[in-house]
């Protein structure tokens, strides 16, 4: 049974899953969301979120933790979910995504533990010291196409770049012109290229869709995610999002990335932390 999606965007089409049996879903990993040959981790997180949203009784992802075991590739996949606990306001489930080797054996790609609830039922009280990131106006930031003011374009060598309306803060885009700042920072305006408005599911993509902070630290190799935890705090308002990612520590070949996502009404709608490997070119 194919699950209906409420929008007809590329994102919804490419994260669609078909229920084969209770808790078991067929999916197709789209080549449109790849970085080099590997499928983007945020896209995979959203795909798993789609299946878990069908398996669990509550509508919204609130905490999702994924361990990336092997690199996913475009093509068919199977997602298996399990309901761990169902409560009045939250439910918890697990999911695994597998693909198949040439000999027919299963290869597990990632494993997820998630808590779902109803973001619309949360109280409105907010007490915070967090502030939205200071990013120049959209038209003064750098994208994969040429900026209106004639600024150079960000080099877009990955398929996922064509799916995103991404504009990087010039202060965190020195790597694109061969002059990285050395700081572990990345900030950007974010949206989907086909105009789809953000929602809790697409926020799972948003937290892992910017170029890695390692680029601005002077590294240029692959930065595969080992583990990623996303917290979805609110349903975002329509309009572009602002994303800020920071890294404080790169050591032993690993770094952390802490992300915040703010909506058009200056509300913090998602947070995440991931551990990633800093793979130098030639390794």
């Amino acid at each position: 049974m194919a699950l209906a999606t409420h929008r007809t965007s590329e994102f919804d089409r490419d994260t669609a899953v078909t229920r084969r049996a209770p808790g078991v879903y067929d999916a197709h990993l789209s080549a449109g969301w790849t970085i080099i040959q590997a499928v983007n981790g945020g896209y995979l997180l959203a795909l798993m979120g789609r299946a878990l949203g069908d398996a669990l009784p509550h509508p919204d992802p609130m905490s999702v933790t994924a361990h990336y075991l092997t690199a996913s590739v475009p093509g068919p996949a199977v997602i298996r979910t399990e309901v761990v606990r169902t409560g009045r306001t939250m439910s918890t489930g697990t999911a695994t995504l597998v693909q198949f080797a040439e000999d027919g054996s299963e290869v597990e790609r990632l494993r997820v533990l998630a808590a779902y609830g109803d973001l619309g039922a949360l109280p409105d009280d907010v007490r915070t010291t967090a502030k939205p990131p200071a990013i120049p106006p959209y038209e003064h930031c750098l994208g994969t196409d040429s900026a209106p003011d004639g600024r150079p374009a960000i080099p877009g060598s990955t398929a996922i770049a064509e799916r995103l309306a991404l504009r990087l803060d010039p202060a965190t885009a020195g790597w694109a012109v061969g002059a990285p700042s050395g700081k572990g920072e990345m900030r950007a305006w974010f949206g989907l290229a086909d105009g789809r408005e953000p929602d809790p599911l697409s926020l799972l993509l948003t937290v892992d869709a910017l170029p890695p902070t390692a680029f601005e630290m002077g590294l240029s190799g692959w930065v595969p995610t080992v583990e990623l935890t996303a917290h979805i705090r609110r349903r975002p308002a329509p309009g572009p999002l602002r994303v800020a990612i920071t890294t404080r520590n790169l050591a032993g070949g690993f770094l952390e990335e802490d992300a915040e996502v703010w909506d058009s009404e200056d509300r913090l709608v998602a947070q995440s932390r991931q551990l990633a490997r800093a793979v130098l070119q030639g390794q």
Side-chain angles (χ1 to χ4, degrees), residues 194-223:
D194 62 8
R196 182 198 192 275
E197 294 291 0
D199 68 0
L201 191 68
S202 71
L203 291 175
L204 296 176
L205 164 71
T206 305
V207 297
D208 191 41
L210 268 61
T213 55
F215 286 3
E216 194 62 2
M217 299 172 79
L219 304 181
S220 57
W222 189 33
V223 188

mmCIF file of all heavy atoms in Angstrom, residues 194-223:
data_model
loop_
_atom_site.group_PDB
_atom_site.id
_atom_site.type_symbol
_atom_site.label_atom_id
_atom_site.label_comp_id
_atom_site.label_asym_id
_atom_site.label_seq_id
_atom_site.Cartn_x
_atom_site.Cartn_y
_atom_site.Cartn_z
ATOM 1 N N ASP A 194 11.925 23.463 -5.166
ATOM 2 C CA ASP A 194 10.611 23.478 -5.812
ATOM 3 C C ASP A 194 9.580 24.278 -5.033
ATOM 4 O O ASP A 194 8.400 24.288 -5.385
ATOM 5 C CB ASP A 194 10.112 22.050 -6.058
ATOM 6 C CG ASP A 194 9.913 21.259 -4.764
ATOM 7 O OD1 ASP A 194 10.012 21.838 -3.668
ATOM 8 O OD2 ASP A 194 9.663 20.033 -4.851
ATOM 9 N N GLY A 195 10.011 24.960 -3.975
ATOM 10 C CA GLY A 195 9.114 25.838 -3.230
ATOM 11 C C GLY A 195 8.309 25.168 -2.139
ATOM 12 O O GLY A 195 7.495 25.838 -1.489
ATOM 13 N N ARG A 196 8.502 23.893 -1.907
ATOM 14 C CA ARG A 196 7.760 23.222 -0.832
ATOM 15 C C ARG A 196 8.060 23.897 0.496
ATOM 16 O O ARG A 196 9.215 24.147 0.836
ATOM 17 C CB ARG A 196 8.173 21.750 -0.755
ATOM 18 C CG ARG A 196 7.414 20.937 0.312
ATOM 19 C CD ARG A 196 8.199 19.671 0.607
ATOM 20 N NE ARG A 196 7.466 18.691 1.381
ATOM 21 C CZ ARG A 196 7.370 18.682 2.706
ATOM 22 N NH1 ARG A 196 7.929 19.661 3.418
ATOM 23 N NH2 ARG A 196 6.713 17.712 3.325
ATOM 24 N N GLU A 197 7.009 24.171 1.274
ATOM 25 C CA GLU A 197 7.199 24.814 2.572
ATOM 26 C C GLU A 197 7.733 23.805 3.588
ATOM 27 O O GLU A 197 7.490 22.599 3.480
ATOM 28 C CB GLU A 197 5.876 25.404 3.066
ATOM 29 C CG GLU A 197 5.335 26.555 2.216
ATOM 30 C CD GLU A 197 6.173 27.827 2.315
ATOM 31 O OE1 GLU A 197 7.190 27.834 3.056
ATOM 32 O OE2 GLU A 197 5.808 28.817 1.650
ATOM 33 N N PRO A 198 8.452 24.281 4.597
ATOM 34 C CA PRO A 198 9.017 23.367 5.594
ATOM 35 C C PRO A 198 7.946 22.782 6.501
ATOM 36 O O PRO A 198 6.902 23.394 6.746
ATOM 37 C CB PRO A 198 9.987 24.254 6.375
ATOM 38 C CG PRO A 198 9.415 25.640 6.243
ATOM 39 C CD PRO A 198 8.824 25.685 4.860
ATOM 40 N N ASP A 199 8.205 21.595 7.007
ATOM 41 C CA ASP A 199 7.370 20.959 8.021
ATOM 42 C C ASP A 199 8.275 20.098 8.892
ATOM 43 O O ASP A 199 9.486 20.022 8.649
ATOM 44 C CB ASP A 199 6.215 20.166 7.381
ATOM 45 C CG ASP A 199 6.678 18.933 6.606
ATOM 46 O OD1 ASP A 199 7.897 18.666 6.557
ATOM 47 O OD2 ASP A 199 5.817 18.232 6.037
ATOM 48 N N PRO A 200 7.742 19.460 9.946
ATOM 49 C CA PRO A 200 8.623 18.684 10.830
ATOM 50 C C PRO A 200 9.427 17.617 10.101
ATOM 51 O O PRO A 200 10.596 17.374 10.440
ATOM 52 C CB PRO A 200 7.643 18.071 11.837
ATOM 53 C CG PRO A 200 6.546 19.090 11.930
ATOM 54 C CD PRO A 200 6.378 19.589 10.515
ATOM 55 N N LEU A 201 8.840 16.956 9.098
ATOM 56 C CA LEU A 201 9.573 15.918 8.384
ATOM 57 C C LEU A 201 10.735 16.493 7.590
ATOM 58 O O LEU A 201 11.843 15.957 7.612
ATOM 59 C CB LEU A 201 8.630 15.148 7.459
ATOM 60 C CG LEU A 201 9.209 13.872 6.854
ATOM 61 C CD1 LEU A 201 9.433 12.812 7.926
ATOM 62 C CD2 LEU A 201 8.295 13.340 5.761
ATOM 63 N N SER A 202 10.507 17.601 6.882
ATOM 64 C CA SER A 202 11.589 18.174 6.077
ATOM 65 C C SER A 202 12.696 18.762 6.945
ATOM 66 O O SER A 202 13.834 18.907 6.487
ATOM 67 C CB SER A 202 11.044 19.243 5.121
ATOM 68 O OG SER A 202 10.648 20.419 5.802
ATOM 69 N N LEU A 203 12.394 19.095 8.216
ATOM 70 C CA LEU A 203 13.441 19.579 9.111
ATOM 71 C C LEU A 203 14.499 18.507 9.359
ATOM 72 O O LEU A 203 15.658 18.822 9.639
ATOM 73 C CB LEU A 203 12.842 20.038 10.443
ATOM 74 C CG LEU A 203 11.994 21.311 10.400
ATOM 75 C CD1 LEU A 203 11.377 21.576 11.771
ATOM 76 C CD2 LEU A 203 12.805 22.510 9.942
ATOM 77 N N LEU A 204 14.118 17.231 9.243
ATOM 78 C CA LEU A 204 15.095 16.155 9.401
ATOM 79 C C LEU A 204 16.129 16.187 8.284
ATOM 80 O O LEU A 204 17.280 15.792 8.473
ATOM 81 C CB LEU A 204 14.388 14.794 9.428
ATOM 82 C CG LEU A 204 13.441 14.556 10.611
ATOM 83 C CD1 LEU A 204 12.745 13.209 10.464
ATOM 84 C CD2 LEU A 204 14.184 14.632 11.936
ATOM 85 N N LEU A 205 15.724 16.647 7.112
ATOM 86 C CA LEU A 205 16.678 16.886 6.026
ATOM 87 C C LEU A 205 17.503 18.130 6.299
ATOM 88 O O LEU A 205 18.733 18.135 6.122
ATOM 89 C CB LEU A 205 15.922 17.048 4.703
ATOM 90 C CG LEU A 205 16.710 17.676 3.540
ATOM 91 C CD1 LEU A 205 17.769 16.715 3.030
ATOM 92 C CD2 LEU A 205 15.756 18.086 2.418
ATOM 93 N N THR A 206 16.848 19.192 6.745
ATOM 94 C CA THR A 206 17.488 20.500 6.883
ATOM 95 C C THR A 206 18.717 20.455 7.784
ATOM 96 O O THR A 206 19.734 21.106 7.491
ATOM 97 C CB THR A 206 16.485 21.520 7.435
ATOM 98 O OG1 THR A 206 15.321 21.548 6.593
ATOM 99 C CG2 THR A 206 17.084 22.911 7.506
ATOM 100 N N VAL A 207 18.663 19.684 8.876
ATOM 101 C CA VAL A 207 19.773 19.695 9.833
ATOM 102 C C VAL A 207 21.049 19.081 9.258
ATOM 103 O O VAL A 207 22.126 19.240 9.836
ATOM 104 C CB VAL A 207 19.390 18.979 11.145
ATOM 105 C CG1 VAL A 207 18.248 19.699 11.848
ATOM 106 C CG2 VAL A 207 19.037 17.506 10.902
ATOM 107 N N ASP A 208 20.947 18.402 8.093
ATOM 108 C CA ASP A 208 22.138 17.744 7.546
ATOM 109 C C ASP A 208 22.279 18.011 6.049
ATOM 110 O O ASP A 208 22.726 17.149 5.301
ATOM 111 C CB ASP A 208 22.079 16.232 7.804
ATOM 112 C CG ASP A 208 23.396 15.529 7.491
ATOM 113 O OD1 ASP A 208 24.458 16.091 7.821
ATOM 114 O OD2 ASP A 208 23.356 14.435 6.913
ATOM 115 N N ALA A 209 21.916 19.205 5.601
ATOM 116 C CA ALA A 209 21.931 19.493 4.168
ATOM 117 C C ALA A 209 22.939 20.558 3.762
ATOM 118 O O ALA A 209 23.163 20.756 2.563
ATOM 119 C CB ALA A 209 20.535 19.913 3.702
ATOM 120 N N LEU A 210 23.546 21.259 4.710
ATOM 121 C CA LEU A 210 24.541 22.276 4.370
ATOM 122 C C LEU A 210 25.902 21.637 4.106
ATOM 123 O O LEU A 210 26.160 20.511 4.531
ATOM 124 C CB LEU A 210 24.670 23.291 5.509
ATOM 125 C CG LEU A 210 23.792 24.540 5.447
ATOM 126 C CD1 LEU A 210 22.316 24.181 5.458
ATOM 127 C CD2 LEU A 210 24.121 25.473 6.611
ATOM 128 N N PRO A 211 26.792 22.349 3.411
ATOM 129 C CA PRO A 211 28.169 21.851 3.311
ATOM 130 C C PRO A 211 28.764 21.669 4.706
ATOM 131 O O PRO A 211 28.400 22.389 5.644
ATOM 132 C CB PRO A 211 28.894 22.973 2.546
ATOM 133 C CG PRO A 211 27.815 23.691 1.802
ATOM 134 C CD PRO A 211 26.602 23.616 2.679
ATOM 135 N N PRO A 212 29.649 20.721 4.897
ATOM 136 C CA PRO A 212 30.204 20.472 6.230
ATOM 137 C C PRO A 212 31.085 21.622 6.707
ATOM 138 O O PRO A 212 31.761 22.278 5.913
ATOM 139 C CB PRO A 212 31.014 19.186 6.050
ATOM 140 C CG PRO A 212 31.308 19.114 4.598
ATOM 141 C CD PRO A 212 30.153 19.753 3.901
ATOM 142 N N THR A 213 31.074 21.840 8.008
ATOM 143 C CA THR A 213 31.933 22.872 8.600
ATOM 144 C C THR A 213 33.401 22.591 8.332
ATOM 145 O O THR A 213 34.225 23.504 8.346
ATOM 146 C CB THR A 213 31.702 22.956 10.110
ATOM 147 O OG1 THR A 213 31.892 21.659 10.690
ATOM 148 C CG2 THR A 213 30.292 23.446 10.436
ATOM 149 N N ALA A 214 33.740 21.330 8.095
ATOM 150 C CA ALA A 214 35.140 20.977 7.828
ATOM 151 C C ALA A 214 35.688 21.722 6.628
ATOM 152 O O ALA A 214 36.888 22.023 6.574
ATOM 153 C CB ALA A 214 35.262 19.465 7.609
ATOM 154 N N PHE A 215 34.838 22.053 5.642
ATOM 155 C CA PHE A 215 35.305 22.801 4.480
ATOM 156 C C PHE A 215 35.860 24.156 4.902
ATOM 157 O O PHE A 215 36.896 24.599 4.420
ATOM 158 C CB PHE A 215 34.165 23.005 3.485
ATOM 159 C CG PHE A 215 33.772 21.775 2.713
ATOM 160 C CD1 PHE A 215 34.364 20.546 2.959
ATOM 161 C CD2 PHE A 215 32.788 21.839 1.743
ATOM 162 C CE1 PHE A 215 34.001 19.412 2.246
ATOM 163 C CE2 PHE A 215 32.416 20.714 1.022
ATOM 164 C CZ PHE A 215 33.018 19.496 1.276
ATOM 165 N N GLU A 216 35.154 24.833 5.804
ATOM 166 C CA GLU A 216 35.594 26.155 6.247
ATOM 167 C C GLU A 216 36.774 26.059 7.208
ATOM 168 O O GLU A 216 37.435 27.053 7.483
ATOM 169 C CB GLU A 216 34.421 26.909 6.879
ATOM 170 C CG GLU A 216 34.628 28.396 7.076
ATOM 171 C CD GLU A 216 34.847 29.182 5.781
ATOM 172 O OE1 GLU A 216 34.806 28.607 4.664
ATOM 173 O OE2 GLU A 216 35.062 30.394 5.888
ATOM 174 N N MET A 217 37.059 24.839 7.686
ATOM 175 C CA MET A 217 38.238 24.610 8.523
ATOM 176 C C MET A 217 39.457 24.235 7.681
ATOM 177 O O MET A 217 40.518 23.924 8.215
ATOM 178 C CB MET A 217 37.945 23.514 9.555
ATOM 179 C CG MET A 217 36.806 23.876 10.499
ATOM 180 S SD MET A 217 36.307 22.495 11.581
ATOM 181 C CE MET A 217 37.597 22.550 12.814
ATOM 182 N N GLY A 218 39.284 24.234 6.364
ATOM 183 C CA GLY A 218 40.410 23.983 5.475
ATOM 184 C C GLY A 218 40.534 22.562 4.983
ATOM 185 O O GLY A 218 41.494 22.235 4.283
ATOM 186 N N LEU A 219 39.576 21.697 5.322
ATOM 187 C CA LEU A 219 39.586 20.319 4.838
ATOM 188 C C LEU A 219 38.675 20.210 3.625
ATOM 189 O O LEU A 219 37.686 20.929 3.515
ATOM 190 C CB LEU A 219 39.110 19.363 5.937
ATOM 191 C CG LEU A 219 39.890 19.417 7.264
ATOM 192 C CD1 LEU A 219 39.325 18.419 8.246
ATOM 193 C CD2 LEU A 219 41.370 19.155 7.029
ATOM 194 N N SER A 220 38.986 19.295 2.734
ATOM 195 C CA SER A 220 38.185 19.189 1.511
ATOM 196 C C SER A 220 37.752 17.767 1.206
ATOM 197 O O SER A 220 37.149 17.517 0.171
ATOM 198 C CB SER A 220 38.984 19.731 0.318
ATOM 199 O OG SER A 220 40.217 19.044 0.176
ATOM 200 N N GLY A 221 38.018 16.829 2.107
ATOM 201 C CA GLY A 221 37.640 15.444 1.864
ATOM 202 C C GLY A 221 36.210 15.156 2.281
ATOM 203 O O GLY A 221 35.463 16.028 2.738
ATOM 204 N N TRP A 222 35.823 13.899 2.136
ATOM 205 C CA TRP A 222 34.499 13.424 2.499
ATOM 206 C C TRP A 222 34.314 13.513 4.006
ATOM 207 O O TRP A 222 35.250 13.276 4.781
ATOM 208 C CB TRP A 222 34.358 11.985 2.010
ATOM 209 C CG TRP A 222 32.987 11.396 2.116
ATOM 210 C CD1 TRP A 222 31.787 12.039 1.981
ATOM 211 C CD2 TRP A 222 32.661 10.027 2.380
ATOM 212 N NE1 TRP A 222 30.744 11.159 2.128
ATOM 213 C CE2 TRP A 222 31.246 9.915 2.383
ATOM 214 C CE3 TRP A 222 33.428 8.881 2.608
ATOM 215 C CZ2 TRP A 222 30.583 8.710 2.603
ATOM 216 C CZ3 TRP A 222 32.768 7.680 2.818
ATOM 217 C CH2 TRP A 222 31.363 7.595 2.817
ATOM 218 N N VAL A 223 33.099 13.865 4.470
ATOM 219 C CA VAL A 223 32.808 13.988 5.903
ATOM 220 C C VAL A 223 31.571 13.135 6.214
ATOM 221 O O VAL A 223 30.472 13.659 6.395
ATOM 222 C CB VAL A 223 32.580 15.457 6.309
ATOM 223 C CG1 VAL A 223 32.486 15.589 7.833
ATOM 224 C CG2 VAL A 223 33.709 16.338 5.791
#
